Amino acid sequence: MTRNSKNTNLSNVQHLITIILALPCLQDRPLPAYAMLPAPQALADKEARGPALSPDGLPLWGPSQDPLPLPNRSAMPIEDWRRWVEEHAANTHRGLRLRSTGQGVLIQGQPEEVASLREFGQQVQQLIEALQIEIKVTVQVGQDDPARQFGQLSSGGHLALGEVQQRGFVGSWRSEIAADSAVAEPELWTAETGWTLFLHASRQPQGAGLLLAGSFRLNTQTGHDSFDPETPDLGLIEQPQIQQTRLDFARLLETGQSLELQATRGGKEIRVAIEASAPAELPRPAAWTAIETAGLWPELPWLQEDNQHSPWPPSSIAAILASSGLEGSPLWAGNLLLIPPGSDELAAQALRLIGTLGAERSNSLLSASMGKDAALIPCVMGLPLEVQMTRVTTAMTGYRADLATDAWIAEPQVQTLVNGTSIKGILGFDNSTLAWHQQAMTERGRIRAPELAYLGSLEWIAESTRSGELHLNHQGDKVQVAASGPHGQLHAQIRDDESR
């Protein structure tokens, strides 16, 4: 045997010995583990429940309009939750591989790292559960038995409660015409009565404080008329009369406390008590700090305005903090600003920034009277408020003629009438300027068919409109202005909320 052959055999033996010695190590090394981390069920999209927002905020509407459900927001989008999980894994378990699935994350890695990330997911689940706010509402109108309802919403979200009755009525007629024939089809409108409460609730950036802002509405049918166009082409037009009371309010309170709305309408007392409760402190998943920002600029969909988006979303706050030069990279999820572990100075800076953006808010009370009607509602600096006492009905005030070759028909035009008084605005710091508006029907009459070339009869309406401003300081001084009937005098006052 040659020397080269001997060297080759020796080398092969050495490699074999190395492999044999390594086998126990390979056998002791654990195989990769897999786990599915499902997204919390509270983050899944759900259908909105409870009363819907009536068109234009009115209790009467036609068939071309539909109520809109109050937005039903979860604590955070699933995409934000997934990004948070991925960021935490990248910072603490670099050996893990994550794959997004439709409703969660697939984890691959060493068993102890997989178990650690699953534990983090459970802690995030606990945080999301702690963001839930429990609501209890009691409504009493006159001597009726009080109505009680319960609900739950995520911090920064919305809730709709109430007892609503809807009734269809023939509000108008719609014409159908062909070459030599025409017919009128009854048009069904909707009248809504009962009470509704639309509510926003959010945690304060730190501590157990809550912000509640909402809109309470009470609709009561007080009468029912009908109008006869006096033409064989059309039937009667029904005209329900509904009294509407609307109170838009806000209050800062501690968990477990309640706020109260009080009003008098037509000699009948209205009382609404709203109690809110939530965990005193938010959990800190794996030492992350979660700061709620929804109260900076709460979205209030019932205002039906376009400027409902916060100028300071958590993404903007995170960008400002990221440029501060402090250690740590903030994230955001929904309305939450997320500060990573070990970044206490960054968390303190975030709270200072949020305090500057949101300014220091305080509670007050608005006392308003409109003739014999009155209301007392809580309000918060920087947030909108409104007291509205109106009556809503319809009137047939015109026709539109449809013509064909050998046929014609007149289609009635129905107008919704809103008469009454409203006071609204945004509460200022030391003083406030509130706008008041009043519309009153002074006369109502009939124009008979013979005077309209036999189109049919219709109504004429005479209305007066007045508006102005109420300049109020917050020292308890009252402001009074003269208005029209039935609310001949308007009084308003801003005073301290002694219950805070």
Side-chain angles (χ1 to χ4, degrees):
M1 181 180 294
T2 65
R3 177 173 295 187
N4 288 338
S5 299
K6 290 181 179 180
N7 290 338
T8 301
N9 292 336
L10 181 61
S11 177
N12 291 337
V13 171
Q14 289 175 340
H15 283 298
L16 181 60
I17 293 173
T18 302
I19 294 173
I20 293 172
L21 292 175
L23 282 176
C25 297
L26 294 175
Q27 293 172 354
D28 293 341
R29 185 178 180 182
L31 295 174
Y34 297 91
M36 178 64 71
L37 185 62
Q41 291 186 355
L43 304 186
D45 293 333
K46 299 178 182 178
E47 292 185 4
R49 297 181 179 179
L53 295 164
S54 55
D56 300 321
L58 297 177
L60 298 176
W61 63 86
S64 61
Q65 298 171 298
D66 292 307
L68 295 176
L70 195 68
N72 187 19
R73 303 181 184 277
S74 61
M76 66 183 71
I78 290 182
E79 293 77 12
D80 290 359
W81 168 85
R82 185 180 291 116
R83 188 177 69 247
W84 187 11
V85 171
E86 292 171 347
E87 180 72 15
H88 179 74
N91 292 338
T92 58
H93 305 297
R94 296 184 179 274
L96 289 176
R97 295 188 62 183
L98 305 182
R99 292 178 174 85
S100 297
T101 65
Q103 295 296 320
V105 174
L106 176 64
I107 312 170
Q108 176 186 351
Q110 296 304 310
E112 65 276 5
E113 291 187 331
V114 171
S116 178
L117 190 59
R118 291 188 66 185
E119 173 64 23
F120 174 72
Q122 292 173 0
Q123 294 175 5
V124 172
Q125 169 83 37
Q126 294 170 0
L127 168 65
I128 292 171
E129 292 173 355
L131 288 170
Q132 300 300 306
I133 300 174
E134 302 287 342
I135 300 295
K136 175 183 177 181
V137 176
T138 304
V139 177
Q140 179 147 23
V141 180
Q143 300 301 315
D144 295 343
D145 293 335
R148 293 183 176 86
Q149 290 195 7
F150 303 85
Q152 184 184 77
L153 70 162
S154 296
S155 179
H158 305 118
L159 177 67
L161 298 174
E163 295 181 357
V164 176
Q165 301 81 43
Q166 292 184 351
R167 173 185 174 271
F169 65 96
V170 180
S172 184
W173 295 80
R174 182 172 56 250
S175 63
E176 298 287 345
I177 190 167
D180 56 359
S181 63
V183 66
E185 178 183 358
E187 194 173 73
L188 289 181
W189 286 40
T190 301
E192 182 176 272
T193 56
W195 66 270
T196 55
L197 174 66
F198 303 111
L199 195 65
H200 162 96
S202 54
R203 297 180 64 99
Q204 294 302 288
Q206 56 183 334
L210 300 173
L211 168 67
L212 295 188
S215 179
F216 173 80
R217 304 173 191 190
L218 177 66
N219 301 323
T220 306
Q221 185 162 335
T222 58
H224 188 280
D225 289 336
S226 60
F227 180 79
D228 186 356
E230 298 179 326
T231 170
D233 295 330
L234 303 172
L236 292 178
I237 292 176
E238 298 180 79
Q239 298 172 327
Q241 300 168 4
I242 296 182
Q243 175 182 274
Q244 184 177 51
T245 302
R246 172 172 173 169
L247 308 174
D248 287 9
F249 61 91
R251 190 172 188 272
L252 297 167
L253 67 166
E254 297 298 314
T255 181
Q257 288 186 331
S258 62
L259 64 82
E260 187 172 74
L261 314 175
Q262 301 177 25
T264 302
R265 186 74 194 272
K268 185 177 292 187
E269 289 190 0
I270 304 166
R271 288 184 177 271
V272 182
I274 307 170
E275 181 181 332
S277 59
E281 297 290 341
L282 289 179
R284 300 185 61 196
W288 283 78
T289 300
I291 302 174
E292 177 63 274
T293 67
L296 282 179
W297 195 272
E299 295 184 22
L300 310 176
W302 50 86
L303 295 181
Q304 298 180 333
E305 297 177 359
D306 295 331
N307 58 345
Q308 285 293 299
H309 297 289
S310 171
W312 299 110
S315 57
S316 298
I317 300 174
I320 295 173
L321 293 172
S323 63
S324 65
L326 297 175
E327 184 179 355
S329 298
L331 294 180
W332 66 93
N335 293 311
L336 294 179
L337 182 68
L338 304 172
I339 307 298
S343 305
D344 295 342
E345 187 176 352
L346 184 64
Q349 181 75 354
L351 291 173
R352 287 192 292 269
L353 175 59
I354 290 172
T356 300
L357 296 176
E360 185 178 352
R361 287 177 168 161
S362 58
N363 291 325
S364 297
L365 291 171
L366 170 67
S367 174
S369 62
M370 307 167 176
K372 295 181 179 180
D373 299 331
L376 180 66
I377 62 171
C379 44
V380 172
M381 186 186 68
L383 296 182
L385 57 91
E386 181 171 358
V387 174
Q388 184 183 114
M389 308 279 189
T390 54
R391 294 181 181 275
V392 184
T393 188
T394 64
M396 211 209 84
T397 55
Y399 286 100
R400 185 182 68 229
D402 287 338
L403 305 177
T405 304
D406 297 314
W408 70 277
I409 191 172
E411 182 175 275
Q413 304 297 295
V414 174
Q415 175 184 349
T416 302
L417 305 178
V418 181
N419 295 290
T421 307
S422 67
I423 297 175
K424 64 180 179 179
I426 295 178
L427 190 69
F429 182 70
D430 290 323
N431 54 74
S432 301
T433 298
L434 306 181
W436 67 273
H437 178 80
Q438 186 179 57
Q439 189 158 318
M441 183 166 55
T442 56
E443 290 185 88
R444 183 173 188 166
R446 171 188 287 265
I447 302 176
R448 305 193 70 86
E451 303 173 43
L452 293 170
Y454 298 97
L455 283 172
S457 299
L458 56 76
E459 297 178 273
W460 60 269
I461 303 295
E463 295 179 312
S464 67
T465 301
R466 302 184 67 179
S467 59
E469 293 183 339
L470 301 171
H471 301 282
L472 306 172
N473 62 39
H474 296 184
Q475 306 303 316
D477 296 338
K478 295 182 179 180
V479 173
Q480 172 180 319
V481 297
S484 305
H487 297 146
Q489 294 288 332
L490 306 183
H491 301 259
Q493 178 187 29
I494 299 289
R495 64 174 192 253
D496 285 340
D497 186 351
E498 298 176 356
S499 63
R500 61 184 173 181

